[in-house]
Amino acid sequence: MCSCNLSRLLVLLCLYPAASVATAMAQARFEFTELHMGLPVRIVLYAEDTTRARLAAQSAFERIAQLEQIMSDYRPTSELSRLVGQWHGGAVGRTVSDELFQVLETSLVLAAETNGAFDPTVGPLTALWRRSRDVGRLPYQTELREARARVGWHHVQLDAVTRRVTITQPGMQLDLGGIAKGFILDQALGILADDGIGQAMIAAGGDVVVGAAPPGARGWHIAVPDADSAFHHRATALEHAALSTSGSSAQFVEIDGVRYSHVVDPRTGFGLTDHRTVYVIAPTGLEADGLATALSVLGPTVGSTILARHPDAKASFSRNN
């Protein structure tokens, strides 16, 4: 799973006013952190006592671990990896879990909507750029051509009745790093809600999902100092929503004086060189994460047409140095 620049996304917990002292005494603040998806995952919640808070957080972390084993493209034993791991010619198909099907379905809708600027089959290209980051050189043109030949969202077919996923392109690798983290955090927040913990926030890298506001506050205060003023204002009182960020400031490779982002444009095969950070607020982490990835590829001009199809989502673009 990819991680974004957490230093750009500082979570500031609002203090409750004096009028809410009774509520504050009934609901204490607790914070837990565990390593998942290759980065620290932070849970902040309000509960009546330590035991209830710890058990709820433990359940949420367990759900994150379960979903990572489904969605990870790094783990050869994950459900995602096994989906395309056995290729014997012709089309390969498998019935998948509800969770994987939901993320793939949303991914393909976004791929069609963005004409491939977002593409869950970008795996061969991201693998190529991970290697470039390790060895410090650009991929050879022959490597790029070979990888691009194995990319194309239209080669993935879904059957919603049977949850069967069919892949028709040999050598395809699925990569849900640009969308799965938001879904996983959604699911973890849902676990907390099922345990009666409604006032909660979960943050991992550049993705944050929040439930009800902290006691006495209008919402969770997410500081995005380089976002535009309207976006910044909305992020200071976030409730029952998600905020995702995508950009090149955290992960990139610099080759011959050019900085290439870890975010790859599936249409060209190259890491992005137009260095911007994109922030998105949406009702769910799934939508916010996917849109942030897509908009970082598309840029503000074309991205505005995509945003128009998501009336409940807002975005802000900023330039990186």
Side-chain angles (χ1 to χ4, degrees):
M1 306 280 178
C2 76
S3 61
C4 297
N5 191 352
L6 184 56
S7 66
R8 288 180 169 273
L9 202 58
L10 305 178
V11 178
L12 307 178
L13 304 181
C14 301
L15 298 178
Y16 36 77
S20 299
V21 170
T23 302
M25 292 177 63
Q27 297 285 325
R29 178 186 179 277
F30 298 89
E31 182 171 336
F32 307 88
T33 302
E34 285 190 6
L35 187 66
H36 293 276
M37 302 179 289
L39 71 166
V41 178
R42 179 181 174 218
I43 296 178
V44 179
L45 59 83
Y46 288 81
E48 291 85 353
D49 57 69
T50 302
T51 299
R52 186 178 184 198
R54 182 175 293 113
L55 289 174
Q58 181 181 347
S59 296
F61 284 131
E62 288 173 354
R63 182 59 171 156
I64 290 171
Q66 291 169 355
L67 291 168
E68 185 178 6
Q69 182 57 29
I70 291 174
M71 309 282 178
S72 174
D73 67 301
Y74 282 93
R75 298 182 178 183
T77 59
S78 73
E79 184 179 2
L80 182 72
S81 296
R82 288 186 286 110
L83 177 62
V84 293
Q86 300 295 323
W87 187 273
H88 302 293
V92 60
R94 189 190 296 265
T95 298
V96 301
S97 62
D98 287 335
E99 296 90 344
L100 182 54
F101 192 91
Q102 183 179 345
V103 175
L104 283 173
E105 187 173 45
T106 302
S107 297
L108 292 180
V109 169
L110 189 56
E113 195 174 295
T114 61
N115 292 318
F118 179 93
D119 192 331
T121 72
V122 73
L125 291 169
T126 53
L128 198 59
W129 280 92
R130 286 171 188 165
R131 190 163 75 238
S132 291
R133 184 176 57 191
D134 292 339
V135 302
R137 68 160 177 84
L138 290 175
Y140 297 125
Q141 287 299 318
T142 53
E143 294 175 316
L144 275 173
R145 282 196 298 269
E146 189 274 336
R148 288 181 64 188
R150 295 186 286 124
V151 173
W153 60 271
H154 50 282
H155 293 299
V156 182
Q157 301 168 4
L158 304 182
D159 185 328
V161 175
T162 63
R163 296 199 320 274
R164 186 173 179 82
V165 180
T166 301
I167 296 172
T168 60
Q169 176 64 36
M172 182 169 283
Q173 295 172 256
L174 299 175
D175 180 356
L176 300 177
I179 194 170
K181 181 144 57 74
F183 174 80
I184 290 172
L185 298 188
D186 284 338
Q187 291 284 300
L189 191 68
I191 292 293
L192 295 179
D194 290 344
D195 286 341
I197 307 293
Q199 297 168 306
M201 176 213 72
I202 308 178
D207 295 277
V208 177
V209 296
V210 301
R218 293 185 301 115
W220 296 88
H221 189 142
I222 314 299
V224 282
D226 51 351
D228 65 63
S229 58
F231 190 95
H232 176 78
H233 179 74
R234 184 167 178 180
T236 59
L238 209 59
E239 188 175 19
H240 299 298
L243 192 156
S244 290
T245 182
S246 180
S248 61
S249 56
Q251 296 187 52
F252 59 88
V253 58
E254 188 166 324
I255 301 173
D256 298 330
V258 179
R259 192 172 71 179
Y260 296 89
S261 171
H262 74 291
V263 179
V264 176
D265 187 337
R267 302 165 302 178
T268 66
F270 278 87
L272 301 180
T273 57
D274 189 0
H275 306 302
R276 63 171 67 93
T277 297
V278 182
Y279 300 105
V280 173
I281 292 174
T284 67
L286 177 65
E287 184 178 11
D289 195 8
L291 278 175
T293 303
L295 295 180
S296 67
V297 175
L298 291 170
T301 302
V302 179
S304 63
T305 64
I306 303 300
L307 276 174
R309 302 171 189 169
H310 296 262
D312 295 326
K314 303 296 179 185
S316 178
F317 296 80
S318 66
R319 283 283 181 182
N320 302 331
N321 294 328

